[in-house]
Every structure is written in structure tokens, then in C-alpha cells.
Amino acid sequence: MTAKTRPVADDAANMHATKQRLIGAGLPMLLKHGYNDLGLVALLAETGVPKGSFYHHFRDKEDFALQVVDAYMAQVHDGLDGCLGDTTRPPLVRVRAFFEMTQQSYREEGYMGCLLGGLGQELSGVSEVFRQKIETCFSTISGRVAGCLEEARQNGDIATDVDVPRMADLLIDCWEGAALRSRLRRDPTSLDHMLDFYFRSVTGG
């Protein structure tokens, strides 16, 4: 790298780091406060980022929140890759492992629940952009879970005539409801009971 190009590369790296710092701080703040109560002043104070730098990276608060959702989904996909891709374990075990891993992250965050569920409940009635974004995210997760459930169906772990996509959607729906109850109670019991009931039901146990 020449002396002339090094400052340009350094500036780009610094801009990327600033954007990641804002997104990293925004995720727990959105979980705790929601979209409407997320103050940009508080976000900038938390990160030490000037207001001008924020608007260099994001058009507005909506654009920022949507990019936080993208970052959240990247974490979800990492978890899905790690759990569902572990072919050393039976498919239903892999599916449950993903949700148990998610439950552990909820515990570490103080049972604030799912960012997608929280934003969906808050904004789906007033923002078509967020309604479509959150629904797409849920559908993507459901689709990946369905792939593993299909493997379980082919292995004979669940009934061969089951509607796998519907079963995957039901799991996501039930999980989101239990996540809301766990947030209200600050307690994992609803999540535990939901997983136990679901997997007993799908295996006929």
C-alpha cells in the first residue's frame, strides 16, 4: 500500500467501524425501548458518534432500524448454520438446539425477547415497510427450519403425511408467543414448556 492510498483505506475502515458500533449499540436499545422510544441522542451518547456521522451511514431512523434488523438476521443465520448444519445429530435435535441456543441469548439479554417479534408488534400496524421486512425474516427462518423438519420426515422421525412448511410456521408462531410471555414474566418457563409440548406433539410422544 502506498502512502497516498493508506489514508483512504484507513478512513474507510474507520467509517465501517463507526457504522458497526452504531448498529451494535442499536440492537440492545431497540430490544429494550422499541422503535418509537429509541432516541438518537441517547444512541449517539452511548456510542460517542457525532450526529453528522450517523447521517453519513443512515438516511434516517427507519433506515437505521432496518439495518439493525439485517444485522440481527445475520446472527440468526449464523445460529441456524451452526445448529441445523450439524449432521452428526438427528434433525429434530438440531432444530431444538437452535431454539435452546436462542433461549440462552434471551437469558443473557434479560429476557427482552425477540427483536423481530417486538418490532413486528409495535410497527406492523403503522408501517408497511416494517411489516413486510419482519414477515420476510420470519418466513426465511421458517423455511430453513422446514428443511430440517423435512429431513426428519424422510427419516421417519415424524409422520410421513405431515405438512412440513405448516409445521415449521407453527413452531415459529408458538415460539414468538412464548417469547412474549417470557418477556412479560422475565422467566424462561414459557419457552421451556412450549418446546417440550411442540416436540412431544410432532413425534407423538
Side-chain angles (χ1 to χ4, degrees):
M1 182 183 295
T2 67
K4 185 176 293 187
T5 61
R6 187 178 297 113
V8 175
D10 290 345
D11 287 346
N14 289 336
M15 285 191 291
H16 178 74
T18 299
K19 183 175 183 178
Q20 292 306 115
R21 187 159 74 252
L22 286 164
I23 289 174
L27 202 159
M29 292 178 77
L30 277 172
L31 268 174
K32 183 176 181 179
H33 302 292
Y35 178 82
N36 290 316
D37 288 339
L38 173 65
L40 292 184
V41 172
L43 174 68
L44 298 178
E46 176 72 18
T47 57
V49 173
K51 185 176 182 180
S53 294
F54 176 89
Y55 287 105
H56 177 80
H57 296 292
F58 310 100
R59 291 190 308 274
D60 49 28
K61 181 178 174 180
E62 179 184 88
D63 181 42
F64 170 70
L66 289 170
Q67 292 198 46
V68 171
V69 170
D70 287 338
Y72 182 82
M73 280 300 293
Q75 294 179 10
V76 171
H77 281 296
D78 285 344
L80 288 165
D81 289 344
C83 294
L84 303 189
D86 182 6
T87 56
T88 64
R89 297 189 291 178
L92 290 181
V93 173
R94 283 140 56 190
V95 172
R96 179 156 187 160
F98 168 72
F99 287 96
E100 289 177 340
M101 182 195 68
T102 303
Q103 180 182 356
Q104 177 60 34
S105 71
Y106 290 174
R107 180 180 296 111
E108 293 168 357
E109 294 158 356
Y111 292 105
M112 298 306 295
C114 173
L115 179 66
L116 301 177
L119 291 179
Q121 291 175 49
E122 181 182 7
L123 299 173
S124 62
V126 296
S127 170
E128 183 64 13
V129 171
F130 275 97
R131 188 193 69 78
Q132 292 186 6
K133 181 73 169 183
I134 301 303
E135 172 56 24
T136 297
C137 291
F138 280 137
S139 295
T140 299
I141 297 169
S142 179
R144 296 202 59 184
V145 169
C148 213
L149 293 178
E150 174 60 21
E151 186 180 341
R153 189 187 70 82
Q154 293 179 8
N155 291 348
D157 298 330
I158 58 179
T160 57
D161 61 347
V162 74
D163 184 335
V164 169
R166 185 177 179 183
M167 179 180 287
D169 279 342
L170 179 61
L171 176 54
I172 303 303
D173 293 346
C174 291
W175 177 262
E176 287 301 314
L180 173 60
R181 293 297 297 276
S182 74
R183 176 170 182 152
L184 293 172
R185 295 170 171 172
R186 295 291 193 271
D187 182 272
T189 304
S190 297
L191 298 169
D192 291 331
H193 289 174
M194 175 262 146
L195 289 176
D196 287 343
F197 178 80
Y198 181 87
F199 285 98
R200 279 199 310 267
S201 297
V202 300
T203 59

